[in-house]
Amino acid sequence: GESVGLHLPTLSVQEGDNSIINCAYSNSASDYFIWYKQESGKGPQFIIDIRSNMDKRQGQRVTVLLNKTVKHLSLQIAATQPGDSAVYFCAENTNSGAGSYQLTFGKGTKLSVIP
Amino acid sequence: EAQVTQNPRYLITVTGKKLTVTCSQNMNHEYMSWYRQDPGLGLRQIYYSMNVEVTDKGDVPEGYKVSRKEKRNFPLILESPSPNQTSLYFCASSRGSQGPQHFGDGTRLSIL
C-alpha cells in the first residue's frame, strides 16, 4: 500500500530560528493532510491541517505548505522555542471506500531546540 | 474540558489473559479510532468507527476486537493477548472522518 514518509528523522534548531519539517506522501488521491505534535508521555496533538485545494495555510507561528505536483508537505515553525521540542508527525487522510477515511501517519521527526 | 480518556494508563499482564482498554470522549464525536505506536513504525491504525454500531478494520486489526454501543465509548478488547501486542495504544476521536482527531494520553501495555 501507499504510505506517508518523512525526509529527516531528527532536526536540531537554535532557539529563535525557523524550523522546517518535511514530509513526502505517495497517495495522489489523498485530499486532507494534518500535522501533529507529540510530546514525551502524551498523545499526538493537532497543530494544523490543509486540504488539497489549498497550497498554504497559516496558523499561529506555524505554516503548512502543500505541493501536490511533487507530493510534498512541509511544516514551518517560526521563531522556534524550547517548548516546540517534540516529535512531529504528518498524516494523510485516505479514502478507504464506502465513504470511510483512514488516517495514515508518517514515522515522525524529532525536533530538538537548542537554547 | 474536551478530552479523550483512556483507562488504564499502564498495564502489565500475562499472555492469554483477556483485557479491555476503555476509551471515552465527551465531545459528541462520531468518529473514533484506535492506534498502536511502536518504535520505528510510527502510529498504525487498529480499528475505527464511523458511528454507533459501525466499526471497520484498520491496518493492523489482528488480535483485537472493538465495539461501539454508545457514541462516547469505544473499548479495545484483547481476547488472548500475546507479547507482540506489547505497545503504546492511543484512542482518538473526531467530529467526522475527515477532521482533526483528538487523542488520549495513551495506554502502555506490556504482555509477558
Side-chain angles (χ1 to χ4, degrees):
Chain A
E2 297 181 344
S3 63
V4 177
L6 290 168
H7 292 312
L8 295 172
T10 60
L11 178 65
S12 295
V13 177
Q14 202 73 37
E15 182 179 356
D17 287 351
N18 296 336
S19 303
I20 299 176
I21 302 172
N22 296 304
C23 176
Y25 67 94
S26 56
N27 190 341
S28 56
S30 295
D31 59 1
Y32 177 57
F33 304 88
I34 311 168
W35 280 101
Y36 285 92
K37 172 187 180 182
Q38 187 176 22
E39 296 175 284
S40 180
K42 296 186 178 181
Q45 178 187 2
F46 169 80
I47 302 173
I48 192 167
D49 58 0
I50 188 168
R51 298 200 180 273
S52 59
N53 60 354
M54 301 174 69
D55 296 321
K56 179 180 179 179
R57 190 161 189 225
Q58 287 184 292
Q60 188 177 15
R61 281 201 308 118
V62 294
T63 301
V64 55
L65 299 177
L66 175 63
N67 186 331
K68 294 181 286 294
T69 302
V70 295
K71 296 177 193 159
H72 184 267
L73 194 68
S74 69
L75 176 70
Q76 299 178 1
I77 305 173
T80 313
Q81 303 168 358
D84 294 327
S85 292
V87 176
Y88 290 81
F89 295 94
C90 64
E92 62 177 325
N93 231 19
T94 309
N95 188 340
S96 54
S100 300
Y101 285 83
Q102 279 185 259
L103 202 59
T104 302
F105 284 80
K107 300 286 190 292
T109 291
K110 183 176 181 180
L111 175 65
S112 296
V113 181
I114 305 165
Chain B
E1 180 187 352
Q3 58 187 5
V4 177
T5 304
Q6 298 178 224
N7 279 297
R9 293 291 314 280
Y10 305 91
L11 179 64
I12 301 173
T13 188
V14 295
T15 298
K17 186 177 181 181
K18 180 180 178 179
L19 68 91
T20 299
V21 184
T22 64
C23 175
S24 180
Q25 50 94 4
N26 62 359
M27 295 167 279
N28 200 37
H29 284 166
E30 292 183 347
Y31 186 94
M32 296 187 74
S33 182
W34 275 104
Y35 298 87
R36 59 178 289 172
Q37 186 173 33
D38 302 290
L41 297 175
L43 282 145
R44 294 178 294 167
Q45 191 174 50
I46 304 171
Y47 268 95
Y48 62 98
S49 169
M50 300 282 287
N51 213 326
V52 176
E53 301 292 1
V54 179
T55 62
D56 284 295
K57 295 178 180 179
D59 297 319
V60 288
E62 294 78 20
Y64 304 94
K65 285 175 58 177
V66 292
S67 69
R68 188 88 183 277
K69 293 183 170 54
E70 307 166 278
K71 200 171 191 178
R72 64 182 291 125
N73 296 321
F74 190 45
L76 179 70
I77 303 156
L78 284 71
E79 292 272 3
S80 183
S82 61
N84 64 12
Q85 292 178 298
T86 292
S87 187
L88 179 58
Y89 291 85
F90 288 101
C91 180
S93 74
S94 59
R95 187 170 298 175
S97 59
Q98 275 224 314
Q101 294 186 17
H102 298 258
F103 283 79
D105 282 334
T107 295
R108 187 166 290 282
L109 289 183
S110 294
I111 316 293
L112 304 177

